[in-house]
């Protein structure tokens, strides 16, 4: 299967600082990547769809100015949590589907556990 | 009504038994269906994909799809304690939508 690499796997940051999370498709091109957030014992919540070369599409209730998404190439999308607060502490997961294959499975990164203190 | 519904469980089965996980979806235009397994603290990993009506078997796993009834299920034969995880059903609707819609997941515990 295809590989999606997410970095870092965990990060602890101080309240008010910003954190950048990277999502890379290692062996395929992904015109679209997806960012999810998952709180303990809850399901995946889609935050935004990242489109290569264009603006991301955010789900209702997700602040686009707080969660900055950049998808500058066909293999890299980044999520920056700006001015992080303790309530932003969560498990952030990216996924990607192969370009040109809209009907196939999504491949997930390893996830990033963010703790804001 | 949620687009993809799963029984949240928890579902407990003894080791060696068959675990049956069910999922229903609302969009009749859905074209592809996936089962993911997620261990606690880890990201989801794909177990099975199914695209047409009927059964699809892969080792101890069997996915069943019935588009007329809008349900998809996952059977795990000879369940092992290592199968204990949350199982997520995901559906790709027809049209231009590219993101998968996930159910809330069913927590499975296999008792030794």
């Amino acid at each position: 299967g295809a590989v999606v690499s997410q970095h870092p796997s965990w990060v602890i940051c101080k309240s008010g600082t910003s954190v950048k999370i990277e999502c890379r498709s290692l062996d395929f091109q992904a015109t679209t990547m997806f960012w999810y957030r998952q709180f303990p014992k809850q399901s995946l919540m889609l935050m935004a769809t990242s489109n290569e070369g264009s603006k991301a599409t955010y789900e209702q209730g997700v602040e686009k100015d707080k969660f900055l998404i950049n998808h500058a190439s066909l293999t890299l999308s980044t999520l920056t949590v700006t001015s992080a607060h303790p309530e932003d502490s969560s498990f952030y997961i990216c996924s990607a589907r192969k370009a040109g294959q809209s009907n196939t499975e999504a491949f997930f990164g390893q996830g990033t556990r963010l703790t804001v203190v | 009504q949620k687009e993809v519904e799963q029984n949240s469980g928890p579902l407990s089965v003894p080791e060696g038994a068959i675990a049956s996980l069910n999922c229903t979806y609302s969009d009749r235009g859905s074209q592809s269906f996936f089962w993911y397994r997620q261990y606690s603290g880890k990201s989801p990993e794909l177990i099975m994909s199914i695209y047409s009506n009927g059964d699809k078997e892969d080792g101890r796993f069997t996915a069943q799809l019935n588009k007329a009834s809008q349900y998809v299920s996952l059977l795990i034969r000879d369940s092992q304690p290592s199968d204990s995880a949350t199982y997520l059903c995901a559906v790709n609707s027809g049209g231009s939508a590219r993101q998968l819609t996930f159910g809330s997941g069913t927590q499975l515990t296999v008792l030794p």
Side-chain angles (χ1 to χ4, degrees):
Chain A
V3 178
V4 175
S5 177
Q6 192 172 338
H7 178 81
S9 57
W10 62 270
V11 58
I12 301 173
C13 71
K14 289 185 177 181
S15 186
T17 61
S18 296
V19 173
K20 179 185 283 189
I21 303 170
E22 291 188 350
C23 180
R24 293 180 184 274
S25 55
L26 297 186
D27 53 357
F28 66 97
Q29 293 184 334
T31 50
T32 306
M33 292 184 177
F34 307 96
W35 288 96
Y36 295 86
R37 182 167 52 184
Q38 188 176 38
F39 293 105
K41 299 190 183 299
Q42 295 188 23
S43 187
L44 297 169
M45 290 175 50
L46 179 66
M47 298 175 66
T49 302
S50 168
N51 304 297
E52 186 268 335
S54 64
K55 291 183 179 180
T57 303
Y58 290 82
E59 295 300 300
Q60 191 172 11
V62 178
E63 300 174 57
K64 62 180 181 181
D65 294 329
K66 180 171 181 61
F67 299 99
L68 301 178
I69 292 174
N70 184 280
H71 193 154
S73 76
L74 288 172
T75 59
L76 174 64
S77 176
T78 61
L79 168 68
T80 301
V81 183
T82 63
S83 186
H85 291 284
E87 57 264 31
D88 297 324
S89 298
S90 187
F91 191 46
Y92 292 85
I93 313 172
C94 72
S95 75
R97 298 171 87 172
K98 293 182 179 179
Q101 298 184 21
S102 61
N103 224 22
T104 58
E105 65 267 35
F107 301 95
F108 283 87
Q110 307 96 311
T112 297
R113 177 133 343 254
L114 170 63
T115 303
V116 184
V117 298
Chain B
Q1 181 188 5
K2 291 184 180 178
E3 295 181 35
V4 179
E5 291 208 43
Q6 293 181 252
N7 192 332
S8 61
L11 173 66
S12 295
V13 299
E15 184 174 357
I18 296 175
S20 177
L21 306 165
N22 299 311
C23 172
T24 58
Y25 58 94
S26 60
D27 186 350
R28 283 195 171 274
S30 300
Q31 298 179 346
S32 47
F33 309 84
F34 308 94
W35 282 99
Y36 287 84
R37 177 177 61 198
Q38 185 177 24
Y39 292 112
S40 181
K42 302 293 185 181
S43 65
E45 56 179 325
L46 181 70
I47 299 176
M48 293 281 287
S49 59
I50 187 166
Y51 301 94
S52 55
N53 280 328
D55 295 0
K56 179 182 178 182
E57 187 174 320
D58 183 1
R60 296 186 294 112
F61 299 97
T62 299
Q64 300 174 317
L65 174 61
N66 184 322
K67 290 186 178 180
S69 300
Q70 294 175 244
Y71 87 79
V72 56
S73 63
L74 179 70
L75 300 178
I76 306 175
R77 290 182 300 281
D78 188 24
S79 296
Q80 302 297 309
S82 59
D83 294 327
S84 299
T86 296
Y87 289 80
L88 300 167
C89 171
V91 175
N92 179 197
S93 300
S96 61
R98 298 201 70 242
Q99 71 268 24
L100 296 178
T101 302
F102 285 86
S104 56
T106 298
Q107 184 181 340
L108 172 66
T109 300
V110 181
L111 304 170

